[in-house]
């Protein structure tokens, strides 16, 4: 079966996607600079699938290193490009880091594709491109709103770069996937989200608070125009999300695309509030998540959820997991991490 390059393959969504690709027989080459992930993720992938993917420690902003990688692994047929910086707050403080990293990586890959005869490209985009949509649920045809952060802007610019490049040369075939809010972990608890330092995103903060690593969760804003006053998002199981990438790659390889660049929303179609998540997490896992209300977080959108009809009908992909099972998987993963920490501490004492 085809050989697929997965950039950012040791990251959160990347690692789950590598598992699903290998499960159906694709050969995977991971490129990652480990800036926000751990090499041990490869062990988790191997435990689940029985296969250790090829790995190259490469920064995608390094054109020459990528070029050499394509020489080393001839016959790569498609690229799934996850590798990018993704912390909204950090991007406000370090915009040039975000523009350099996210834009240069994409440009390098697109430039190298025709040289190495790689036609197919899947890009990780985000619902952040919609800003606060005028109509909900939001479809792929909704207008792109001015970005609220440099991070969000890089996703918009990257989408435009892909469109312009494809327009200039019919060689390229791409699928842009706009993720809503990925959460949860692989049911085996061999891989999951590994945030560095204090988590920015809701779910890792919830699980770390439940585990006692954080004192309490601050719920950012309870005066929004929503039923309980807290923000609403479309939380999507990370394994469901990973499976959509396998379908997207297969669609490209089968040359089934209706256009050179196709765009799909990846969400469940259901919006849940911050309090819905906290309450459901507590109920299904039988643990407490101490929380209190705090002022609104700058740049937060009030409510957004997907219309996933296009992905459902055209891709033939649909989110399957319930939010209950997804929140259980997130907790199982956090408990696994706690156990690993204990083991490491015990080993250090010996
Ligand atoms: C953000 C980005 C998204 C990006 C994602 C991954 C925007 C609008 N969204 O999603 O593009 O892909 O991060 O990094 O730029 N919350 C709390 N307390 C916390 C943490 C979060 O109440 O400690 C709330 C937030 O206010 C929000 C919800 O939980 O309402 C989800 O937040 P988060 O997980 O950070 O994701 P987004 O901001 O939706």
């Amino acid at each position: 079966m085809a050989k697929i390059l997965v950039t950012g393959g040791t990251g959160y969504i990347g690692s789950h996607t590598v598992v699903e690709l290998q499960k159906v027989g694709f050969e995977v080459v991971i490129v990652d600079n480990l800036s926000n992930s751990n090499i041990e993720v490869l062990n988790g992938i191997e435990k689940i699938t029985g296969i250790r993917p090829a790995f190259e420690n490469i920064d995608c902003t390094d054109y020459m290193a990528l070029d050499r990688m394509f020489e080393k692994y001839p016959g790569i047929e498609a690229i799934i490009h996850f590798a990018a910086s993704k912390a909204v707050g950090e991007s406000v403080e370090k915009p040039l880091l975000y523009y350099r990293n996210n834009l240069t990586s994409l440009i390098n890959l697109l430039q190298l594709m025709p040289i190495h005869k790689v036609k197919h490209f899947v890009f990780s985009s985000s619902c952040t491109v919609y800003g606060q949509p005028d109509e909900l649920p939001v479809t792929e045809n909704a207008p792109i709103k001015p970005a609220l952060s440099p991070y969000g802007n890089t996703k918009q610019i990257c989408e435009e770069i892909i469109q312009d490049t494809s327009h200039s040369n019919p060689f390229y075939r791409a699928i842009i996937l706009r993720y809503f809010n990925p959460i949860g972990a692989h049911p085996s608890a061999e891989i999951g989200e590994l945030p560095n330092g204090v988590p920015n995103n809701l779910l890792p903060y919830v699980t770390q608070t439940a585990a006692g690593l954080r004192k309490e969760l601050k719920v950012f804003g309870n005066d929004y125009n929503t039923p309980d006053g807290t923000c609403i998002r479309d939380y999507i199981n990370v394994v469901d999300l990973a499976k959509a990438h396998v379908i997207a790659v297969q669609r490209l390889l089968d040359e089934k695309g209706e256009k050179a660049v196709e765009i799909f929303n990846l969400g469940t179609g259901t919006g849940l509030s911050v309090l819905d998540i906290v309450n459901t997490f507590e109920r299904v896992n039988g643990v407490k998540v101490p929380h209190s209300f705090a002022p609104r977080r700058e740049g937060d959108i009030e409510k957004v959820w997907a219309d996933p009809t296009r992905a459902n009908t055209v891709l033939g992909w649909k989110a399957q997991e319930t939010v209950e099972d997804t929140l259980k998987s997130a907790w199982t993963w956090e408990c696994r991490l706690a156990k690993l920490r204990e083991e490491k501490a015990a080993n250090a004492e010996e």
Side-chain angles (χ1 to χ4, degrees):
M1 257 178 98
K3 202 185 287 179
I4 316 291
L5 170 65
V6 181
T7 74
T10 50
Y12 175 43
I13 309 174
S15 57
H16 289 82
T17 300
V18 170
V19 164
E20 297 307 316
L21 285 167
Q22 294 193 154
K23 265 168 87 174
V24 297
F26 283 110
E27 189 183 335
V28 174
V29 178
I30 294 178
V31 157
D32 203 302
N33 66 356
L34 302 175
S35 60
N36 195 25
S37 61
N38 195 308
I39 191 74
E40 286 170 25
V41 169
L42 296 179
N43 300 336
I45 293 172
E46 188 175 1
K47 270 199 184 147
I48 299 169
T49 63
I51 303 161
R52 194 168 185 87
F55 173 81
E56 295 292 326
N57 187 338
I58 290 173
D59 189 317
C60 291
T61 61
D62 186 342
Y63 181 93
M64 294 312 294
L66 278 179
D67 192 32
R68 285 192 295 272
M69 184 279 307
F70 280 112
E71 297 287 344
K72 183 172 170 187
Y73 299 94
I76 287 172
E77 289 187 46
I79 301 171
I80 308 181
H81 181 42
F82 292 104
S85 305
K86 62 158 192 175
V88 177
E90 185 188 46
S91 80
V92 176
E93 285 155 27
K94 301 176 186 165
L96 296 179
L97 180 86
Y98 274 66
Y99 288 114
R100 182 191 296 280
N101 193 20
N102 294 3
L103 304 188
T104 313
S105 298
L106 174 69
I107 293 167
N108 283 346
L109 288 167
L110 291 175
Q111 277 191 320
L112 286 160
M113 282 172 67
I115 297 170
H116 295 280
K117 304 195 169 46
V118 188
K119 276 169 73 171
H120 306 296
F121 193 77
V122 178
F123 180 68
S124 294
S125 192
S126 163
C127 70
T128 192
V129 301
Y130 299 121
Q132 178 58 64
D134 302 321
E135 281 172 42
L136 287 167
V138 64
T139 73
E140 293 83 352
N141 297 326
I144 302 299
K145 295 278 180 72
L148 290 170
S149 68
Y151 158 77
N153 206 18
T154 66
K155 291 296 173 195
Q156 294 190 3
I157 299 170
C158 284
E159 287 200 8
E160 287 172 3
I161 291 173
I162 292 167
Q163 295 280 9
D164 292 345
T165 307
S166 145
H167 186 72
S168 75
N169 184 347
F171 172 81
Y172 292 94
R173 312 294 293 184
I175 292 182
I176 291 172
L177 299 174
R178 291 181 179 155
Y179 311 150
F180 284 67
N181 288 58
I183 59 167
H186 194 269
S188 65
E190 294 292 349
I191 55 172
E193 197 169 4
L194 275 173
N196 263 343
V198 182
N200 297 301
N201 294 115
L202 179 62
L203 244 288
Y205 213 105
V206 165
T207 56
Q208 290 193 9
T209 306
L213 298 172
R214 312 267 159 217
K215 212 169 126 250
E216 66 169 6
L217 168 77
K218 298 264 183 252
V219 176
F220 298 136
N222 63 344
D223 57 353
Y224 285 102
N225 183 26
T226 60
D228 65 21
T230 65
C231 290
I232 295 179
R233 296 287 183 273
D234 185 332
Y235 294 92
I236 162 97
N237 180 283
V238 67
V239 177
D240 277 339
L241 191 72
K243 288 178 179 166
H245 294 75
V246 180
I247 296 173
V249 158
Q250 197 58 58
R251 179 176 175 83
L252 287 169
L253 294 173
D254 295 343
E255 314 229 332
K256 282 201 184 136
E258 291 155 5
K259 291 196 290 183
V261 181
E262 294 183 304
I263 302 180
F264 296 98
N265 279 343
L266 295 183
T268 65
T270 303
L272 294 174
S273 74
V274 178
L275 286 182
D276 287 334
I277 290 289
V278 171
N279 294 335
T280 310
F281 185 92
E282 290 187 327
R283 176 169 57 79
V284 298
N285 293 312
V287 286
K288 283 278 159 216
V289 181
H291 57 278
S292 67
F293 294 115
R296 291 180 177 199
R297 181 171 70 175
E298 202 190 320
D300 263 342
I301 304 290
E302 183 169 88
K303 48 189 168 207
V304 61
W305 61 93
D307 180 338
T309 307
R310 237 182 89 71
N312 297 166
T313 54
V314 180
L315 278 185
W317 166 89
K318 202 172 188 316
Q320 305 282 347
E321 292 298 328
T322 62
V323 71
E324 284 83 1
D325 284 346
T326 304
L327 292 174
K328 277 190 207 167
S329 74
W331 180 232
T332 308
W333 169 243
E334 188 66 51
C335 296
R336 173 79 196 273
L337 287 177
K339 221 171 134 202
L340 290 175
R341 270 192 304 273
E342 273 172 27
E343 282 170 16
K344 266 197 182 145
N347 286 342
E349 269 173 29
E350 273 170 16

PDB file of all heavy atoms in Angstrom, residues 240-261:
ATOM      1  N   ASP A 240     -11.919   9.534  15.951  1.00  0.00           N
ATOM      2  CA  ASP A 240     -12.828   9.843  14.835  1.00  0.00           C
ATOM      3  C   ASP A 240     -12.144  10.792  13.858  1.00  0.00           C
ATOM      4  O   ASP A 240     -12.205  10.611  12.637  1.00  0.00           O
ATOM      5  CB  ASP A 240     -14.110  10.519  15.347  1.00  0.00           C
ATOM      6  CG  ASP A 240     -15.140   9.505  15.844  1.00  0.00           C
ATOM      7  OD1 ASP A 240     -15.054   8.326  15.444  1.00  0.00           O
ATOM      8  OD2 ASP A 240     -16.037   9.903  16.616  1.00  0.00           O
ATOM      9  N   LEU A 241     -11.517  11.808  14.412  1.00  0.00           N
ATOM     10  CA  LEU A 241     -10.840  12.810  13.585  1.00  0.00           C
ATOM     11  C   LEU A 241      -9.722  12.151  12.767  1.00  0.00           C
ATOM     12  O   LEU A 241      -9.581  12.402  11.559  1.00  0.00           O
ATOM     13  CB  LEU A 241     -10.246  13.895  14.489  1.00  0.00           C
ATOM     14  CG  LEU A 241      -9.740  15.147  13.823  1.00  0.00           C
ATOM     15  CD1 LEU A 241     -10.912  15.989  13.333  1.00  0.00           C
ATOM     16  CD2 LEU A 241      -8.907  15.975  14.788  1.00  0.00           C
ATOM     17  N   ALA A 242      -8.955  11.284  13.427  1.00  0.00           N
ATOM     18  CA  ALA A 242      -7.847  10.595  12.754  1.00  0.00           C
ATOM     19  C   ALA A 242      -8.369   9.774  11.573  1.00  0.00           C
ATOM     20  O   ALA A 242      -7.776   9.772  10.486  1.00  0.00           O
ATOM     21  CB  ALA A 242      -7.113   9.696  13.747  1.00  0.00           C
ATOM     22  N   LYS A 243      -9.518   9.111  11.779  1.00  0.00           N
ATOM     23  CA  LYS A 243     -10.057   8.254  10.707  1.00  0.00           C
ATOM     24  C   LYS A 243     -10.425   9.080   9.473  1.00  0.00           C
ATOM     25  O   LYS A 243     -10.330   8.587   8.344  1.00  0.00           O
ATOM     26  CB  LYS A 243     -11.279   7.493  11.220  1.00  0.00           C
ATOM     27  CG  LYS A 243     -10.901   6.389  12.195  1.00  0.00           C
ATOM     28  CD  LYS A 243     -12.124   5.681  12.741  1.00  0.00           C
ATOM     29  CE  LYS A 243     -11.689   4.562  13.686  1.00  0.00           C
ATOM     30  NZ  LYS A 243     -12.820   4.064  14.498  1.00  0.00           N
ATOM     31  N   ALA A 244     -10.832  10.320   9.685  1.00  0.00           N
ATOM     32  CA  ALA A 244     -11.182  11.179   8.546  1.00  0.00           C
ATOM     33  C   ALA A 244      -9.960  11.406   7.648  1.00  0.00           C
ATOM     34  O   ALA A 244     -10.099  11.540   6.427  1.00  0.00           O
ATOM     35  CB  ALA A 244     -11.728  12.516   9.042  1.00  0.00           C
ATOM     36  N   HIS A 245      -8.765  11.438   8.247  1.00  0.00           N
ATOM     37  CA  HIS A 245      -7.546  11.637   7.449  1.00  0.00           C
ATOM     38  C   HIS A 245      -7.268  10.438   6.546  1.00  0.00           C
ATOM     39  O   HIS A 245      -6.780  10.585   5.438  1.00  0.00           O
ATOM     40  CB  HIS A 245      -6.344  11.882   8.364  1.00  0.00           C
ATOM     41  CG  HIS A 245      -6.440  13.166   9.113  1.00  0.00           C
ATOM     42  ND1 HIS A 245      -7.290  13.327  10.184  1.00  0.00           N
ATOM     43  CD2 HIS A 245      -5.846  14.363   8.931  1.00  0.00           C
ATOM     44  CE1 HIS A 245      -7.185  14.558  10.624  1.00  0.00           C
ATOM     45  NE2 HIS A 245      -6.328  15.205   9.884  1.00  0.00           N
ATOM     46  N   VAL A 246      -7.556   9.236   7.065  1.00  0.00           N
ATOM     47  CA  VAL A 246      -7.343   8.032   6.256  1.00  0.00           C
ATOM     48  C   VAL A 246      -8.275   8.072   5.042  1.00  0.00           C
ATOM     49  O   VAL A 246      -7.861   7.796   3.909  1.00  0.00           O
ATOM     50  CB  VAL A 246      -7.613   6.759   7.102  1.00  0.00           C
ATOM     51  CG1 VAL A 246      -7.389   5.501   6.264  1.00  0.00           C
ATOM     52  CG2 VAL A 246      -6.708   6.751   8.340  1.00  0.00           C
ATOM     53  N   ILE A 247      -9.517   8.466   5.279  1.00  0.00           N
ATOM     54  CA  ILE A 247     -10.491   8.552   4.184  1.00  0.00           C
ATOM     55  C   ILE A 247     -10.063   9.637   3.191  1.00  0.00           C
ATOM     56  O   ILE A 247     -10.154   9.453   1.976  1.00  0.00           O
ATOM     57  CB  ILE A 247     -11.904   8.834   4.748  1.00  0.00           C
ATOM     58  CG1 ILE A 247     -12.345   7.657   5.621  1.00  0.00           C
ATOM     59  CG2 ILE A 247     -12.899   9.083   3.627  1.00  0.00           C
ATOM     60  CD1 ILE A 247     -13.644   7.885   6.369  1.00  0.00           C
ATOM     61  N   ALA A 248      -9.578  10.754   3.715  1.00  0.00           N
ATOM     62  CA  ALA A 248      -9.155  11.854   2.838  1.00  0.00           C
ATOM     63  C   ALA A 248      -7.987  11.424   1.958  1.00  0.00           C
ATOM     64  O   ALA A 248      -7.976  11.683   0.744  1.00  0.00           O
ATOM     65  CB  ALA A 248      -8.776  13.074   3.681  1.00  0.00           C
ATOM     66  N   VAL A 249      -7.005  10.747   2.555  1.00  0.00           N
ATOM     67  CA  VAL A 249      -5.848  10.287   1.776  1.00  0.00           C
ATOM     68  C   VAL A 249      -6.295   9.291   0.695  1.00  0.00           C
ATOM     69  O   VAL A 249      -5.880   9.384  -0.464  1.00  0.00           O
ATOM     70  CB  VAL A 249      -4.789   9.639   2.711  1.00  0.00           C
ATOM     71  CG1 VAL A 249      -3.876   8.716   1.946  1.00  0.00           C
ATOM     72  CG2 VAL A 249      -3.964  10.710   3.385  1.00  0.00           C
ATOM     73  N   GLN A 250      -7.158   8.374   1.085  1.00  0.00           N
ATOM     74  CA  GLN A 250      -7.629   7.380   0.113  1.00  0.00           C
ATOM     75  C   GLN A 250      -8.383   8.050  -1.031  1.00  0.00           C
ATOM     76  O   GLN A 250      -8.234   7.683  -2.191  1.00  0.00           O
ATOM     77  CB  GLN A 250      -8.528   6.348   0.822  1.00  0.00           C
ATOM     78  CG  GLN A 250      -8.748   5.067   0.026  1.00  0.00           C
ATOM     79  CD  GLN A 250      -7.449   4.340  -0.313  1.00  0.00           C
ATOM     80  OE1 GLN A 250      -6.683   3.976   0.569  1.00  0.00           O
ATOM     81  NE2 GLN A 250      -7.166   4.158  -1.605  1.00  0.00           N
ATOM     82  N   ARG A 251      -9.171   9.072  -0.692  1.00  0.00           N
ATOM     83  CA  ARG A 251      -9.917   9.813  -1.718  1.00  0.00           C
ATOM     84  C   ARG A 251      -8.963  10.476  -2.721  1.00  0.00           C
ATOM     85  O   ARG A 251      -9.183  10.448  -3.921  1.00  0.00           O
ATOM     86  CB  ARG A 251     -10.783  10.868  -1.020  1.00  0.00           C
ATOM     87  CG  ARG A 251     -11.596  11.732  -1.970  1.00  0.00           C
ATOM     88  CD  ARG A 251     -12.496  12.674  -1.171  1.00  0.00           C
ATOM     89  NE  ARG A 251     -13.199  13.594  -2.044  1.00  0.00           N
ATOM     90  CZ  ARG A 251     -14.321  13.317  -2.688  1.00  0.00           C
ATOM     91  NH1 ARG A 251     -14.866  12.120  -2.579  1.00  0.00           N
ATOM     92  NH2 ARG A 251     -14.909  14.207  -3.463  1.00  0.00           N
ATOM     93  N   LEU A 252      -7.874  11.045  -2.190  1.00  0.00           N
ATOM     94  CA  LEU A 252      -6.886  11.664  -3.071  1.00  0.00           C
ATOM     95  C   LEU A 252      -6.213  10.609  -3.946  1.00  0.00           C
ATOM     96  O   LEU A 252      -6.100  10.785  -5.165  1.00  0.00           O
ATOM     97  CB  LEU A 252      -5.839  12.413  -2.244  1.00  0.00           C
ATOM     98  CG  LEU A 252      -6.302  13.720  -1.592  1.00  0.00           C
ATOM     99  CD1 LEU A 252      -5.258  14.205  -0.587  1.00  0.00           C
ATOM    100  CD2 LEU A 252      -6.556  14.802  -2.647  1.00  0.00           C
ATOM    101  N   LEU A 253      -5.787   9.505  -3.329  1.00  0.00           N
ATOM    102  CA  LEU A 253      -5.082   8.469  -4.088  1.00  0.00           C
ATOM    103  C   LEU A 253      -5.987   7.885  -5.172  1.00  0.00           C
ATOM    104  O   LEU A 253      -5.530   7.543  -6.260  1.00  0.00           O
ATOM    105  CB  LEU A 253      -4.586   7.360  -3.149  1.00  0.00           C
ATOM    106  CG  LEU A 253      -3.510   7.766  -2.135  1.00  0.00           C
ATOM    107  CD1 LEU A 253      -3.244   6.626  -1.153  1.00  0.00           C
ATOM    108  CD2 LEU A 253      -2.219   8.170  -2.847  1.00  0.00           C
ATOM    109  N   ASP A 254      -7.277   7.768  -4.874  1.00  0.00           N
ATOM    110  CA  ASP A 254      -8.235   7.238  -5.857  1.00  0.00           C
ATOM    111  C   ASP A 254      -8.652   8.302  -6.873  1.00  0.00           C
ATOM    112  O   ASP A 254      -9.461   8.028  -7.754  1.00  0.00           O
ATOM    113  CB  ASP A 254      -9.497   6.709  -5.149  1.00  0.00           C
ATOM    114  CG  ASP A 254      -9.197   5.514  -4.258  1.00  0.00           C
ATOM    115  OD1 ASP A 254      -8.122   4.916  -4.430  1.00  0.00           O
ATOM    116  OD2 ASP A 254     -10.041   5.184  -3.393  1.00  0.00           O
ATOM    117  N   GLU A 255      -8.116   9.514  -6.719  1.00  0.00           N
ATOM    118  CA  GLU A 255      -8.426  10.638  -7.606  1.00  0.00           C
ATOM    119  C   GLU A 255      -9.929  10.864  -7.721  1.00  0.00           C
ATOM    120  O   GLU A 255     -10.472  11.037  -8.811  1.00  0.00           O
ATOM    121  CB  GLU A 255      -7.799  10.398  -8.992  1.00  0.00           C
ATOM    122  CG  GLU A 255      -6.347   9.923  -8.879  1.00  0.00           C
ATOM    123  CD  GLU A 255      -5.370  10.682  -9.751  1.00  0.00           C
ATOM    124  OE1 GLU A 255      -5.802  11.172 -10.787  1.00  0.00           O
ATOM    125  OE2 GLU A 255      -4.186  10.772  -9.362  1.00  0.00           O
ATOM    126  N   LYS A 256     -10.594  10.847  -6.586  1.00  0.00           N
ATOM    127  CA  LYS A 256     -12.045  10.995  -6.569  1.00  0.00           C
ATOM    128  C   LYS A 256     -12.501  12.429  -6.364  1.00  0.00           C
ATOM    129  O   LYS A 256     -13.689  12.703  -6.362  1.00  0.00           O
ATOM    130  CB  LYS A 256     -12.624  10.135  -5.435  1.00  0.00           C
ATOM    131  CG  LYS A 256     -12.716   8.659  -5.770  1.00  0.00           C
ATOM    132  CD  LYS A 256     -13.739   8.019  -4.863  1.00  0.00           C
ATOM    133  CE  LYS A 256     -13.833   6.526  -5.054  1.00  0.00           C
ATOM    134  NZ  LYS A 256     -13.885   5.829  -3.776  1.00  0.00           N
ATOM    135  N   GLY A 257     -11.524  13.338  -6.123  1.00  0.00           N
ATOM    136  CA  GLY A 257     -11.889  14.721  -5.795  1.00  0.00           C
ATOM    137  C   GLY A 257     -12.690  15.393  -6.895  1.00  0.00           C
ATOM    138  O   GLY A 257     -12.438  15.176  -8.085  1.00  0.00           O
ATOM    139  N   GLU A 258     -13.668  16.203  -6.489  1.00  0.00           N
ATOM    140  CA  GLU A 258     -14.457  16.941  -7.482  1.00  0.00           C
ATOM    141  C   GLU A 258     -13.720  18.199  -7.933  1.00  0.00           C
ATOM    142  O   GLU A 258     -13.998  18.738  -8.999  1.00  0.00           O
ATOM    143  CB  GLU A 258     -15.817  17.327  -6.873  1.00  0.00           C
ATOM    144  CG  GLU A 258     -16.711  16.113  -6.645  1.00  0.00           C
ATOM    145  CD  GLU A 258     -17.740  16.323  -5.551  1.00  0.00           C
ATOM    146  OE1 GLU A 258     -17.842  17.442  -5.013  1.00  0.00           O
ATOM    147  OE2 GLU A 258     -18.433  15.334  -5.230  1.00  0.00           O
ATOM    148  N   LYS A 259     -12.797  18.670  -7.072  1.00  0.00           N
ATOM    149  CA  LYS A 259     -12.003  19.856  -7.393  1.00  0.00           C
ATOM    150  C   LYS A 259     -10.562  19.578  -6.992  1.00  0.00           C
ATOM    151  O   LYS A 259     -10.282  18.652  -6.235  1.00  0.00           O
ATOM    152  CB  LYS A 259     -12.511  21.065  -6.577  1.00  0.00           C
ATOM    153  CG  LYS A 259     -13.891  21.552  -7.004  1.00  0.00           C
ATOM    154  CD  LYS A 259     -14.168  22.934  -6.460  1.00  0.00           C
ATOM    155  CE  LYS A 259     -14.370  22.906  -4.961  1.00  0.00           C
ATOM    156  NZ  LYS A 259     -14.705  24.194  -4.390  1.00  0.00           N
ATOM    157  N   ALA A 260      -9.644  20.421  -7.465  1.00  0.00           N
ATOM    158  CA  ALA A 260      -8.233  20.223  -7.109  1.00  0.00           C
ATOM    159  C   ALA A 260      -8.017  20.417  -5.611  1.00  0.00           C
ATOM    160  O   ALA A 260      -7.186  19.758  -5.001  1.00  0.00           O
ATOM    161  CB  ALA A 260      -7.362  21.187  -7.892  1.00  0.00           C
ATOM    162  N   VAL A 261      -8.788  21.335  -5.018  1.00  0.00           N
ATOM    163  CA  VAL A 261      -8.703  21.535  -3.562  1.00  0.00           C
ATOM    164  C   VAL A 261     -10.115  21.399  -2.989  1.00  0.00           C
ATOM    165  O   VAL A 261     -11.024  22.119  -3.395  1.00  0.00           O
ATOM    166  CB  VAL A 261      -8.151  22.933  -3.202  1.00  0.00           C
ATOM    167  CG1 VAL A 261      -8.056  23.093  -1.685  1.00  0.00           C
ATOM    168  CG2 VAL A 261      -6.800  23.182  -3.847  1.00  0.00           C
TER     169      VAL A 261
END
